[in-house]
Coordinates of all heavy atoms in Angstrom, one line a residue:
T190 N 88.5 171.5 325.6 CA 89.4 172.7 325.4 C 90.8 172.6 325.7 O 91.6 173.5 325.7 CB 88.8 173.9 326.3 OG1 89.1 173.6 327.7 CG2 87.3 174.1 326.1
T191 N 91.3 171.3 326.0 CA 92.7 171.1 326.3 C 93.5 170.8 325.0 O 92.9 170.7 323.9 CB 92.8 170.0 327.3 OG1 92.7 168.7 326.6 CG2 91.8 170.0 328.4
T192 N 94.8 170.6 325.2 CA 95.6 170.3 324.1 C 95.7 168.8 323.9 O 96.4 168.3 323.0 CB 97.1 170.8 324.3 OG1 97.6 170.3 325.5 CG2 97.1 172.3 324.4
V193 N 95.0 168.0 324.7 CA 95.1 166.5 324.6 C 94.5 166.1 323.2 O 93.4 166.4 322.9 CB 94.3 165.9 325.7 CG1 94.3 164.3 325.5 CG2 94.9 166.2 327.1
G194 N 95.3 165.4 322.5 CA 94.9 164.9 321.1 C 95.3 165.8 320.0 O 95.1 165.5 318.8
M195 N 96.1 166.9 320.3 CA 96.5 167.8 319.3 C 97.8 167.3 318.6 O 98.6 166.6 319.3 CB 96.8 169.2 319.9 CG 97.2 170.3 318.9 SD 97.3 171.9 319.7 CE 98.7 171.7 320.8
Y196 N 98.0 167.6 317.3 CA 99.1 167.1 316.6 C 100.4 167.7 317.3 O 100.4 168.8 317.8 CB 99.1 167.7 315.2 CG 100.3 167.4 314.4 CD1 100.4 166.3 313.7 CD2 101.4 168.3 314.4 CE1 101.6 166.0 312.9 CE2 102.6 168.1 313.6 CZ 102.6 166.9 312.9 OH 103.8 166.6 312.2
P197 N 101.4 166.8 317.5 CA 101.6 165.5 316.9 C 101.2 164.4 317.8 O 101.4 163.2 317.4 CB 103.2 165.5 316.7 CG 103.7 166.2 317.9 CD 102.7 167.3 318.2
E198 N 100.6 164.6 319.0 CA 100.2 163.6 319.9 C 98.8 163.2 319.7 O 97.9 163.1 320.6 CB 100.5 164.0 321.3 CG 101.9 164.3 321.6 CD 102.2 164.8 323.0 OE1 101.2 165.1 323.7 OE2 103.4 165.0 323.4
I199 N 98.5 162.8 318.4 CA 97.1 162.4 318.1 C 96.8 161.0 318.7 O 97.7 160.3 319.0 CB 96.9 162.4 316.6 CG1 97.8 161.4 315.9 CG2 97.1 163.8 316.0 CD1 97.6 161.3 314.4
G200 N 95.6 160.8 318.9 CA 95.2 159.5 319.5 C 94.9 159.5 321.0 O 94.4 158.6 321.5
Q201 N 95.4 160.6 321.6 CA 95.1 160.7 323.1 C 93.7 161.2 323.4 O 93.1 161.9 322.6 CB 96.2 161.6 323.7 CG 97.6 161.1 323.6 CD 98.6 162.0 324.4 OE1 98.2 162.9 325.0 NE2 99.9 161.6 324.3
L202 N 93.2 160.9 324.6 CA 91.9 161.3 325.0 C 91.9 162.0 326.3 O 92.6 161.6 327.2 CB 91.0 160.0 325.2 CG 90.4 159.3 324.0 CD1 89.8 158.0 324.4 CD2 89.4 160.2 323.3
P203 N 91.2 163.1 326.4 CA 91.1 163.8 327.7 C 90.2 163.0 328.6 O 90.4 163.0 329.9 CB 90.4 165.2 327.3 CG 89.7 164.9 326.1 CD 90.4 163.8 325.3
L204 N 89.1 162.4 328.1 CA 88.3 161.5 328.8 C 87.6 160.6 327.8 O 87.5 161.0 326.6 CB 87.3 162.2 329.7 CG 86.3 163.2 329.2 CD1 85.1 162.5 328.4 CD2 85.7 164.0 330.4
D205 N 87.1 159.5 328.2 CA 86.4 158.5 327.3 C 84.9 158.8 327.2 O 84.2 158.6 328.2 CB 86.7 157.1 327.7 CG 86.3 156.1 326.7 OD1 85.6 156.4 325.7 OD2 86.6 154.9 326.9
P206 N 84.4 159.1 326.0 CA 82.9 159.3 325.9 C 82.1 158.1 325.7 O 80.9 158.1 325.4 CB 82.8 160.2 324.7 CG 84.0 159.8 323.8 CD 85.1 159.4 324.8
G207 N 82.8 156.9 325.9 CA 82.1 155.6 325.7 C 80.9 155.4 326.5 O 80.0 154.6 326.1
G208 N 80.7 156.1 327.6 CA 79.5 155.9 328.5 C 78.3 156.7 328.0 O 77.2 156.5 328.6
M209 N 78.4 157.5 327.0 CA 77.3 158.2 326.5 C 76.3 157.4 325.8 O 76.6 156.6 324.9 CB 77.8 159.3 325.5 CG 78.0 160.7 326.1 SD 76.4 161.4 326.7 CE 76.9 163.1 326.9
N210 N 75.0 157.4 326.2 CA 74.0 156.6 325.6 C 72.7 157.5 325.4 O 71.6 157.0 325.4 CB 73.6 155.4 326.4 CG 73.3 155.7 327.8 OD1 72.8 156.8 328.1 ND2 73.5 154.7 328.7
K211 N 72.9 158.8 325.1 CA 71.8 159.7 324.8 C 72.2 160.6 323.7 O 73.4 160.8 323.4 CB 71.4 160.5 326.1 CG 72.5 161.3 326.7 CD 72.0 162.3 327.7 CE 71.6 163.6 327.0 NZ 71.3 164.7 327.9
P212 N 71.3 161.3 323.0 CA 71.6 162.3 322.0 C 72.4 163.4 322.6 O 72.1 163.9 323.7 CB 70.3 162.8 321.5 CG 69.3 161.7 321.8 CD 69.8 161.1 323.1
F213 N 73.5 163.8 322.0 CA 74.4 164.9 322.5 C 75.2 165.4 321.4 O 75.3 164.9 320.3 CB 75.3 164.4 323.6 CG 76.4 163.5 323.2 CD1 77.7 164.0 323.3 CD2 76.2 162.2 322.9 CE1 78.8 163.2 322.9 CE2 77.3 161.4 322.5 CZ 78.6 161.9 322.5
S214 N 75.8 166.6 321.6 CA 76.7 167.2 320.7 C 78.1 167.3 321.4 O 78.2 167.4 322.6 CB 76.2 168.6 320.3 OG 75.0 168.5 319.6
A215 N 79.1 167.4 320.6 CA 80.5 167.5 321.1 C 81.3 168.5 320.2 O 81.2 168.5 319.0 CB 81.2 166.2 321.1
A216 N 82.1 169.3 320.9 CA 83.0 170.2 320.2 C 84.4 170.1 320.8 O 84.6 169.8 322.0 CB 82.5 171.7 320.4
D217 N 85.4 170.2 319.9 CA 86.8 170.2 320.3 C 87.4 171.4 319.6 O 87.3 171.7 318.4 CB 87.4 168.9 319.8 CG 88.8 168.7 320.5 OD1 89.5 169.6 320.7 OD2 89.0 167.5 320.7
I218 N 88.1 172.2 320.4 CA 88.7 173.4 319.9 C 90.0 173.2 319.1 O 90.5 174.0 318.4 CB 89.0 174.5 321.0 CG1 90.1 174.0 321.9 CG2 87.8 174.8 321.7 CD1 90.7 175.1 322.8
I219 N 90.5 171.9 319.1 CA 91.6 171.5 318.3 C 91.2 171.4 316.8 O 90.1 170.9 316.5 CB 92.2 170.2 318.8 CG1 92.8 170.3 320.2 CG2 93.2 169.6 317.8 CD1 93.2 169.0 320.8
Y220 N 92.1 171.9 315.9 CA 91.8 171.9 314.5 C 92.8 171.1 313.7 O 92.7 170.8 312.5 CB 91.7 173.3 313.9 CG 92.9 174.1 314.0 CD1 93.9 174.0 313.1 CD2 93.1 175.0 315.1 CE1 95.1 174.8 313.2 CE2 94.2 175.7 315.2 CZ 95.2 175.6 314.3 OH 96.3 176.4 314.4
N221 N 93.9 170.6 314.4 CA 94.9 169.8 313.8 C 95.3 168.7 314.8 O 96.0 169.0 315.8 CB 96.1 170.7 313.4 CG 97.2 169.9 312.6 OD1 96.9 168.8 312.2 ND2 98.3 170.6 312.4
P222 N 94.7 167.5 314.6 CA 94.1 167.0 313.3 C 92.7 167.5 313.2 O 92.1 168.0 314.1 CB 94.1 165.5 313.6 CG 94.0 165.3 315.0 CD 94.9 166.4 315.6
Y223 N 92.2 167.3 312.0 CA 90.8 167.7 311.6 C 89.8 167.1 312.5 O 88.8 167.7 313.0 CB 90.5 167.4 310.2 CG 89.2 168.0 309.6 CD1 89.2 169.2 309.1 CD2 88.1 167.2 309.7 CE1 88.0 169.8 308.6 CE2 86.9 167.7 309.2 CZ 86.9 169.0 308.6 OH 85.7 169.5 308.2
E224 N 89.9 165.8 312.8 CA 89.1 165.1 313.7 C 89.9 164.5 314.8 O 90.7 163.5 314.5 CB 88.2 164.0 313.0 CG 87.2 163.3 314.0 CD 86.4 162.3 313.3 OE1 87.0 161.3 312.8 OE2 85.1 162.4 313.3
T225 N 89.8 164.9 316.0 CA 90.6 164.3 317.1 C 90.0 163.0 317.5 O 88.9 162.6 317.1 CB 90.5 165.2 318.4 OG1 89.2 165.4 318.8 CG2 91.2 166.6 318.1
E226 N 90.8 162.2 318.2 CA 90.3 160.9 318.7 C 89.0 161.1 319.6 O 88.1 160.3 319.5 CB 91.3 160.2 319.5 CG 91.0 158.8 320.0 CD 90.8 157.8 318.8 OE1 91.3 158.1 317.7 OE2 90.2 156.8 319.1
F227 N 89.0 162.2 320.3 CA 87.8 162.5 321.2 C 86.6 162.7 320.3 O 85.5 162.1 320.5 CB 88.1 163.7 322.0 CG 86.9 164.2 322.8 CD1 86.4 163.5 323.9 CD2 86.2 165.4 322.4 CE1 85.2 163.9 324.6 CE2 85.1 165.8 323.0 CZ 84.6 165.1 324.1
L228 N 86.7 163.5 319.3 CA 85.5 163.7 318.4 C 85.1 162.5 317.6 O 83.9 162.2 317.4 CB 85.8 164.9 317.4 CG 85.7 166.3 317.9 CD1 85.8 167.3 316.7 CD2 84.4 166.5 318.7
K229 N 86.1 161.7 317.2 CA 85.8 160.5 316.5 C 85.0 159.6 317.4 O 84.0 159.0 316.9 CB 87.1 159.8 316.1 CG 86.9 158.4 315.4 CD 88.3 157.8 315.1 CE 88.1 156.4 314.5 NZ 89.4 155.8 314.2
R230 N 85.4 159.4 318.6 CA 84.6 158.5 319.5 C 83.3 159.0 319.8 O 82.3 158.3 319.9 CB 85.4 158.2 320.8 CG 86.7 157.5 320.5 CD 87.3 156.8 321.7 NE 88.6 156.2 321.5 CZ 89.2 155.5 322.3 NH1 88.7 155.2 323.5 NH2 90.4 155.0 322.0
C231 N 83.2 160.4 319.9 CA 81.8 161.0 320.1 C 80.9 160.7 318.9 O 79.8 160.4 319.0 CB 82.0 162.5 320.4 SG 82.6 162.9 322.0
R232 N 81.5 160.9 317.7 CA 80.7 160.7 316.5 C 80.3 159.2 316.4 O 79.1 159.0 316.0 CB 81.6 161.0 315.3 CG 81.0 160.8 313.9 CD 81.8 161.3 312.8 NE 83.1 160.8 312.8 CZ 83.5 159.6 312.3 NH1 82.5 158.7 311.8 NH2 84.7 159.2 312.3
L233 N 81.1 158.3 316.8 CA 80.7 156.9 316.8 C 79.6 156.6 317.8 O 78.9 155.6 317.7 CB 81.9 156.0 317.0 CG 83.0 156.1 315.9 CD1 84.2 155.2 316.2 CD2 82.4 155.5 314.6
R234 N 79.5 157.5 318.8 CA 78.4 157.3 319.8 C 77.1 158.0 319.3 O 76.1 158.1 320.1 CB 78.8 157.9 321.2 CG 80.0 157.2 321.8 CD 79.8 155.8 322.1 NE 78.7 155.5 323.0 CZ 78.3 154.3 323.4 NH1 78.9 153.2 322.9 NH2 77.3 154.1 324.2
G235 N 77.2 158.6 318.1 CA 76.0 159.2 317.5 C 75.9 160.7 317.7 O 74.9 161.3 317.4
A236 N 77.0 161.3 318.2 CA 77.0 162.8 318.5 C 77.2 163.6 317.2 O 77.8 163.2 316.2 CB 78.1 163.1 319.4
K237 N 76.5 164.8 317.2 CA 76.9 165.8 316.2 C 78.1 166.5 316.7 O 78.2 166.9 317.9 CB 75.7 166.8 316.1 CG 74.4 166.2 315.6 CD 73.3 167.2 315.5 CE 72.0 166.6 315.0 NZ 70.9 167.6 315.0
T238 N 79.1 166.6 315.9 CA 80.4 167.1 316.3 C 80.9 168.4 315.6 O 80.5 168.6 314.4 CB 81.5 166.0 316.2 OG1 81.7 165.7 314.8 CG2 81.1 164.8 316.9
V239 N 81.6 169.2 316.3 CA 82.2 170.4 315.7 C 83.7 170.4 316.1 O 84.0 170.4 317.2 CB 81.5 171.6 316.3 CG1 82.2 172.9 315.7 CG2 80.0 171.6 315.9
N240 N 84.6 170.6 315.0 CA 86.0 170.7 315.4 C 86.4 172.1 315.6 O 85.5 173.0 315.5 CB 86.8 170.0 314.3 CG 86.7 170.7 312.9 OD1 86.3 171.8 312.8 ND2 87.2 170.0 311.9
G241 N 87.6 172.4 315.7 CA 88.1 173.7 316.1 C 88.3 174.7 314.9 O 88.7 175.8 315.2
I242 N 88.0 174.2 313.7 CA 88.3 175.1 312.6 C 87.4 176.4 312.6 O 87.9 177.5 312.4 CB 88.1 174.4 311.2 CG1 89.2 173.4 311.0 CG2 88.1 175.3 310.1 CD1 89.2 172.6 309.8
G243 N 86.1 176.2 312.9 CA 85.3 177.4 312.9 C 85.7 178.4 314.0 O 85.8 179.6 313.7

Side-chain angles (χ1 to χ4, degrees):
T190 72
T191 77
T192 60
V193 177
M195 184 171 69
Y196 177 86
E198 297 177 353
I199 61 175
Q201 296 187 4
L202 282 171
L204 59 74
D205 187 353
M209 263 293 197
N210 54 28
K211 55 166 276 188
F213 74 108
S214 299
D217 196 321
I218 69 168
I219 291 172
Y220 61 86
N221 188 9
Y223 186 89
E224 182 181 60
T225 60
E226 184 67 18
F227 172 73
L228 281 190
K229 176 182 177 181
R230 295 199 186 190
C231 287
R232 177 173 57 80
L233 294 175
R234 300 298 300 177
K237 297 178 181 179
T238 63
V239 177
N240 66 17
I242 289 180

